[in-house]
Amino acid sequence: MQLSIATTLLASTAVHAFSDSSPFVLFSTSKLNTPEGYDQLQTSNQVIASAKEILSSCPTRDYVIVSQPNVHAADIRDGSHCKMRSLCDTIAGKEIQGRFSVAEVVGDLSTHSLENYVKEACAAKGKVAGIVKVDLTHLPSLDHKDKREQILASNDDQLGLMLDTLEGDYTLVMVSDPNEFKAYQPDFIEPVHMDLKRGHFSSQEGNDNGNTTYDNRPLFAKYQFFTPGIFVALLALVVMLSILGVGLKALGSLQVSYGAFDKEMGPTAQKKQQ
């Protein structure tokens, strides 16, 4: 059963699930030894390793390595949604016998490493690989939808004309750089660290100017932990403790004789009572 490239690329839950990824497409007119049950989210190293394993047998005579910067898996989905019609029709054709594609590749993919590997693999098999490199025009972001579709259609026509010149024994590899649609990254304010050591500001100024300077700021501006409220409270406490001390001292200095509170029993006391 032949599967279109979109069937594989859309196997992931969401096409735009990862903003820092790009699709990878490999198809050939020869049967390929592709891995079974591979993930649609892989790193660039995993994809390159799988691609080298597939190309190690040098399956065809000609190899087309296409670089399409900023392309999405959604651009080559199946049916009327495919924006690269020539590429989608070629992949769905009967002459294509082997396909390998990954919807979301995280990391950069180097066409140079694939090119060198194909040459070495075919040389080891006693073959000479015909390699054609195609660098398509960079696609704008989704904010420029009309311009993006125009450039994508032009790149597809260029790729279609090049595929028509091949004689039916070729392998095509299309890679892309991670697209430019950046995910939201929150900015957090770093906590302010205040150094309360004495002389911190003066030493900092001296290091900046190369000379030793002194900090002549007011007391409360230099030491933030000693606030004016605390200072006033301490002054009030000292005054109140001083008053309390004077009062206690005054009470303690009172001297009363033992007979001051005795009842008078003499003639003088009887006269006062009368």
Side-chain angles (χ1 to χ4, degrees), residues 63-131:
Y63 296 86
V64 181
I65 301 178
V66 181
S67 175
Q68 176 58 86
N70 207 27
V71 70
H72 270 155
D75 297 326
I76 49 180
R77 65 173 59 181
D78 197 6
S80 60
H81 300 287
C82 181
K83 298 180 178 63
M84 301 187 72
R85 179 53 53 188
S86 297
L87 179 64
C88 292
D89 292 343
T90 301
I91 297 173
K94 296 181 179 180
E95 66 275 8
I96 302 302
Q97 301 296 320
R99 303 171 180 85
F100 174 74
S101 60
V102 178
E104 304 289 345
V105 180
V106 181
D108 296 327
L109 293 171
S110 175
T111 58
H112 183 68
S113 62
L114 288 176
E115 179 183 358
N116 292 337
Y117 182 79
V118 169
K119 291 180 180 180
E120 295 175 359
C122 291
K125 299 291 183 179
K127 302 178 182 179
V128 178
I131 298 178

Side-chain angles (χ1 to χ4, degrees), residues 255-266:
Q255 296 181 0
V256 181
S257 62
Y258 291 102
F261 301 98
D262 293 341
K263 186 176 180 180
E264 296 182 2
M265 301 302 293

Side-chain angles (χ1 to χ4, degrees), residues 185-191:
Q185 296 181 353
D187 295 329
F188 298 100
I189 300 176
E190 296 183 358

